[in-house]
Amino acid sequence: SLQRLAAMISLLLTILHLADASNATCQGCTAGMAYLQLHGNVQRAALSQSDDFVPMDGGMGRACRGASRTDNSPSNYVATRVSNLEECKTACMSEPSCRGIEYSAGRCEVWTRADGIMASIPLDGFSCYRYGPYTTTTTMPARSGTFEAVDGATGRACRGATGGDNLPSHYKLSASGKSSLDACKSACLQDMDCKGIEFSSGRCEVWIRPQGIQASAAVSGFMCYRFVDPSISTTTAFPEGAFAPVDGGTGRACRGASPGDNKASHYTVEAASSLTHCKTLCFLDSSCKGVEYSAGRCEIWTRSAGIETSIALDGYECWRKEDGTSTGCQAQTSQLGATDAVCTETCSYLASGQWPCGEGGPCLCGSTTMTTTAMTTTAATSTATTAATTSQSTTTTAATTTTTTTTTTTTTTT
């Protein structure tokens, strides 16, 4: 017991000695306190650097863009893999030319564009932040358009895809628009992403959901209006047959030479309100080979060899742009393992019209020639006229049908 007491006294003296030593360098604090002070200073320094990141258009739910909402050139940034947003910020701070970051699950874009991030688009799962000083500001002009009552407007609260779809990411609250219905509408006109408004006493929701307001719910004291932009055409800017589904189209994500070939250099990403909108963007781009579309996101594929295959992925659409002449076979569905390549090979061994290459089968085979002679859209001048002529010829075995409209003539011989 005496030995144990001596050992305890020795330990106590050692602790007191360490405390005296720490006080020599840190007045009024123990060694532990000194460590905490130092650690806290490091943390504050790191936080002060992180504070240099400024959310772009709110930050969350935004994808970064360059000079405009369509400027997503790969030269604007350097992509890297990270575990979280903080690692992405650290990667930016270690790059002298970094002007900001875009972060999505596991992926970090360090933006090095000289003029920095000047715009963004709404995109779920993404975050966009500016970094460093920005002296250039831009003011977007107010849009013109009309407001359309949703289900009568009065006593209706806006919703997304269904009456129960009211995700906070669908809208943003406007402080300037909460005073009146007219002020709320004005706030919408100032926002290039606005698809409509919901107004109630002292509250204005500016809806930015890419697909817009598609439903409403009965709620007393609320009003819901959809914004109609006359500069966006509701008609297609491409002729029928301009796009062919890849491996059935629906539930397919586009790929290059193989199912694993999904290089970022194969495509550019644009915002699109619908599959038709996405196809229109592609049709007006001479370098586009096809599109992949998912909710609000449009990949414009510019890979020189085009889209050669696809993978199964719910919520995606993959379509190949026809370049004028199409031969071979196309899968009309992904059932039974049908793909464009499988259909083309299988049907090359069979007589014309034999299943699965004939009527009722998953493969559509033949030779089609399509010529577009004239076309203008709402993107052209206001005095332009629109005329489109499409000719298709297909030969099989037994009857002749001719159909004529004011804009399109199609002749089919069977």
Side-chain angles (χ1 to χ4, degrees):
S1 59
L2 290 176
Q3 289 179 340
R4 184 177 301 174
L5 179 61
M8 292 177 63
I9 293 173
S10 177
L11 178 60
L12 178 60
L13 290 174
T14 301
I15 293 174
L16 292 174
H17 176 73
L18 290 174
D20 288 339
S22 65
N23 288 336
T25 56
C26 177
Q27 294 183 359
C29 62
T30 65
M33 286 294 292
Y35 169 78
L36 290 175
Q37 285 182 349
L38 175 62
H39 186 65
N41 289 335
V42 172
Q43 284 189 317
R44 282 191 291 272
L47 286 173
S48 66
Q49 286 182 309
S50 183
D51 287 345
D52 290 337
F53 288 91
V54 178
M56 183 65 184
D57 298 330
M60 300 296 290
R62 308 295 299 187
C64 301
R65 291 297 183 263
S68 68
R69 296 171 70 246
T70 60
D71 179 16
N72 192 34
S73 171
S75 63
N76 289 344
Y77 56 83
V78 177
T80 185
R81 304 296 298 179
V82 295
S83 300
N84 52 52
L85 176 60
E86 290 306 314
E87 284 189 13
C88 189
K89 290 181 178 180
T90 300
C92 172
M93 289 187 289
S94 63
E95 169 56 58
S97 59
C98 181
R99 303 303 312 280
I101 59 168
E102 177 189 286
Y103 175 76
S104 57
R107 186 176 190 272
C108 173
E109 289 181 2
V110 174
W111 275 63
T112 56
R113 179 177 178 268
D115 292 329
I117 299 166
M118 304 304 295
S120 72
I121 63 169
L123 199 59
D124 287 345
F126 285 70
S127 299
C128 180
Y129 295 86
R130 285 174 163 182
Y131 179 71
Y134 276 80
T135 56
T136 303
T137 59
T138 57
T139 301
M140 299 299 294
R143 295 185 296 169
S144 60
T146 59
F147 287 90
E148 172 184 273
V150 177
D151 299 331
T154 302
R156 309 298 299 186
C158 301
R159 294 295 184 264
T162 65
D165 181 14
N166 192 33
L167 292 175
S169 60
H170 291 344
Y171 58 84
K172 51 189 177 183
L173 297 177
S174 170
S176 64
K178 67 181 183 180
S179 60
S180 67
L181 176 61
D182 286 340
C184 192
K185 288 180 178 180
S186 178
C188 175
L189 293 175
Q190 296 291 335
D191 193 320
M192 296 302 292
D193 296 322
C194 181
K195 300 291 192 274
I197 61 164
E198 177 189 285
F199 179 77
S200 58
S201 180
R203 179 183 171 92
C204 170
E205 290 181 4
V206 174
W207 274 64
I208 56 173
R209 180 176 179 262
Q211 298 85 359
I213 300 168
Q214 296 177 298
S216 70
V219 182
S220 178
F222 284 70
M223 288 180 278
C224 181
Y225 289 87
R226 184 182 295 115
F227 179 68
V228 180
D229 189 340
S231 68
I232 301 176
S233 174
T234 57
T235 59
T236 61
F238 52 87
E240 185 178 354
F243 292 87
V246 177
D247 301 332
T250 303
R252 310 296 299 185
C254 302
R255 293 297 183 263
S258 67
D261 182 14
N262 190 35
K263 293 179 181 177
S265 59
H266 292 343
Y267 56 83
T268 58
V269 179
E270 303 290 350
S273 59
S274 65
L275 175 61
T276 298
H277 185 191
C278 185
K279 288 179 178 178
T280 300
L281 294 175
C282 174
F283 188 78
L284 298 175
D285 185 341
S286 60
S287 65
C288 181
K289 305 294 184 182
V291 299
E292 177 189 287
Y293 178 77
S294 58
R297 185 177 189 272
C298 174
E299 288 184 3
I300 303 293
W301 275 64
T302 55
R303 178 176 178 264
S304 58
I307 300 167
E308 296 184 78
T309 187
S310 70
I311 63 169
L313 196 59
D314 288 344
Y316 284 72
E317 296 263 358
C318 182
W319 292 76
R320 184 181 294 115
K321 182 181 178 183
E322 299 290 78
D323 59 2
T325 301
S326 172
T327 59
C329 302
Q330 297 167 356
Q332 299 304 293
T333 175
S334 59
Q335 295 178 353
L336 305 177
T339 66
D340 293 350
V342 169
C343 285
T344 298
E345 181 177 2
T346 300
C347 297
S348 67
Y349 302 119
L350 302 176
S352 177
Q354 184 176 344
W355 196 95
C357 311
E359 184 177 353
C363 302
L364 177 65
C365 302
S367 178
T368 302
T369 302
M370 180 180 71
T371 305
T372 302
T373 59
M375 179 168 298
T376 58
T377 69
T378 54
T381 60
S382 59
T383 57
T385 59
T386 303
T389 303
T390 305
S391 299
Q392 292 185 318
S393 304
T394 307
T395 303
T396 54
T397 57
T400 302
T401 303
T402 303
T403 303
T404 307
T405 68
T406 57
T407 59
T408 305
T409 302
T410 306
T411 303
T412 306
T413 304
T414 55

